[in-house]
Amino acid sequence: MRFGIVLQTDPPAWEVVDRMRRAEELGFDHGWTFDSCVLWQEPFVIHSQILAATERMVVGPMVTNPRTRDWTVTASTFATLNEMFGDRTVCGIGRGDSALRVTGGEPTTLASLGRAVAVIRDLAEGREVDLDGTAVRLPWVRGGRLPVWMGAYGPKALELAGRVADGVILQLADPLLVRWMVEHVRDAARAAGRDPASITVCAAAPAYVGTDLAHAREQCRWFGGMVGNHVADLVRRYGDRSEAVPAALTDYIRGREGYDYSHHGRAGNPSTEFVPDDVVDRFCLLGPPGAHRDRLAELADAGVDQFAAYAMHDAVEHAMREYGSSIIPRS
């Protein structure tokens, strides 16, 4: 299994760069950041400095979206970074959440997302695309390569990822739900004539290493609220008792009364008090190193190729060191 670290681009930006450099030294293969330009600093500027400060780390957003950035700009950005630093980027992309909603927008449609995946990848790899009747190509791209990984939760999004994406990002670490999601992706890939094994599966969730489980839960409860935003969209689409979506994913948001994005992705988020302990335990990796290794083994058995650790709590450096010393080498 490979490992990634997920950071917010809070100022100072150089601290994010330095933390990514240390993460590479500790054995993390991928460096991910949020992409929400109102809430945090511009990620792609920081990505260029992360790439300059590291040697092997693959860098990308978790996740960007097709609406706040023009598709040609996104493709050109990735292609430029790859030309400067080698093919060391990955485009994580989804329908959008905070980046759109904090400015009064809504997530894009799956149809638009699927088209964006193809257009961004083709342009960044030097191929010509048809943009509403206009032929567009980046003439300076030579031999480009850009994997595009799609964030997904519900059946239709998972099936779209299986048809068009190079990888899928599952933002939770519940082995049962991950297995259900991976099966949807692989079934769709087979139906589209693709090799299911060619699609990289990344599970992303907070990782808190320590023996004080109650404290760890409070530091990571925010994640259940963040996931709850996407789950609420699923409930609106499928209903709260739909056989299309497992109750283990949807039942917990019954107590959700809204969400304040000013606390998005942060420990102590008051909008996440509805998230019960068992959901925190299922969605996140908590406990001593052995508990993390056990869960990672379950995730690997469910089809996960990479675990990306969200580092938004009060023990980031400790978690990174523990992963580097006793979890990554033994997983």
Side-chain angles (χ1 to χ4, degrees):
M1 181 180 287
R2 293 188 175 274
F3 289 84
I5 187 93
V6 190
L7 301 176
Q8 292 166 337
T9 53
D10 283 320
W14 288 115
E15 183 174 290
V16 178
V17 174
D18 191 52
R19 185 163 277 168
M20 289 292 194
R21 178 189 58 77
R22 294 199 302 278
E24 181 184 68
E25 293 173 351
L26 290 166
F28 289 90
D29 303 293
H30 283 64
W32 302 94
T33 70
F34 282 22
D35 177 14
S36 192
C37 61
V38 172
L39 296 178
W40 299 289
Q41 292 180 314
E42 169 57 34
F44 289 104
V45 175
I46 299 171
H47 289 176
S48 69
Q49 297 302 310
I50 295 170
L51 288 162
T54 57
E55 297 178 358
R56 302 171 306 280
M57 179 173 275
V58 176
V59 177
M62 189 176 281
V63 294
T64 191
N65 70 83
R67 187 163 285 175
T68 58
R69 301 178 190 275
D70 185 273
W71 303 352
T72 60
V73 173
T74 299
S76 182
T77 299
F78 279 107
T80 301
L81 291 172
N82 283 340
E83 190 276 330
M84 293 176 68
F85 300 104
D87 292 333
R88 291 172 52 206
T89 67
V90 56
C91 177
I93 192 168
R95 293 178 60 228
D97 181 36
S98 64
L100 294 167
R101 285 175 161 140
V102 295
T103 56
E106 291 291 332
T108 192
T109 64
L110 287 177
S112 179
L113 175 58
R115 184 162 176 254
V117 167
V119 167
I120 291 168
R121 180 173 53 216
D122 282 348
L123 287 174
E125 294 186 345
R127 292 184 290 276
E128 183 178 286
V129 301
D130 183 324
L131 282 180
D132 300 322
T134 299
V136 178
R137 184 173 68 87
L138 303 182
W140 48 270
V141 175
R142 297 287 185 274
R145 179 180 178 275
L146 180 66
V148 182
W149 296 7
M150 224 188 85
Y153 284 100
K156 294 184 182 300
L158 293 164
E159 290 160 10
L160 177 62
R163 293 195 303 272
V164 305
D166 302 294
V168 61
I169 298 171
L170 311 175
Q171 295 185 77
L172 46 71
D174 180 330
L176 291 177
L177 290 175
V178 166
R179 189 178 297 277
W180 172 80
M181 292 174 171
V182 170
E183 288 174 356
H184 270 273
V185 172
R186 289 178 173 170
D187 287 348
R190 290 188 193 94
R194 305 180 70 197
D195 177 5
S198 69
I199 302 171
T200 302
V201 177
C202 173
Y208 197 101
V209 185
T211 57
D212 187 342
L213 189 56
H215 180 73
R217 285 171 177 152
E218 292 312 310
Q219 287 293 304
C220 298
R221 199 175 303 276
W222 64 267
F223 184 67
M226 186 183 82
V227 173
N229 295 329
H230 302 283
V231 173
D233 289 341
L234 293 178
V235 170
R236 281 191 287 271
R237 176 185 290 269
Y238 295 100
D240 61 357
R241 285 297 182 185
S242 171
E243 294 182 359
V245 184
L249 179 61
T250 60
D251 275 358
Y252 84 98
I253 70 162
R254 292 175 185 275
R256 183 179 183 270
E257 296 179 351
Y259 191 83
D260 181 354
Y261 280 90
S262 66
H263 305 286
H264 188 59
R266 300 190 185 280
N269 184 341
S271 297
T272 63
E273 293 174 355
F274 70 93
V275 181
D277 287 351
D278 72 288
V279 167
V280 182
D281 293 347
R282 287 193 292 113
F283 285 14
C284 306
L285 271 69
L286 313 176
H292 289 248
R293 291 193 296 268
D294 290 346
R295 177 68 67 84
L296 290 167
E298 291 183 82
L299 292 172
D301 186 65
V304 172
D305 302 298
Q306 178 189 144
F307 173 67
Y310 276 97
M312 294 91 189
H313 49 63
D314 65 359
V316 174
E317 295 292 335
H318 174 72
M320 286 173 53
R321 288 193 301 270
E322 288 289 340
Y323 263 72
S325 63
S326 60
I327 298 174
I328 292 176
R330 298 171 60 183
S331 299

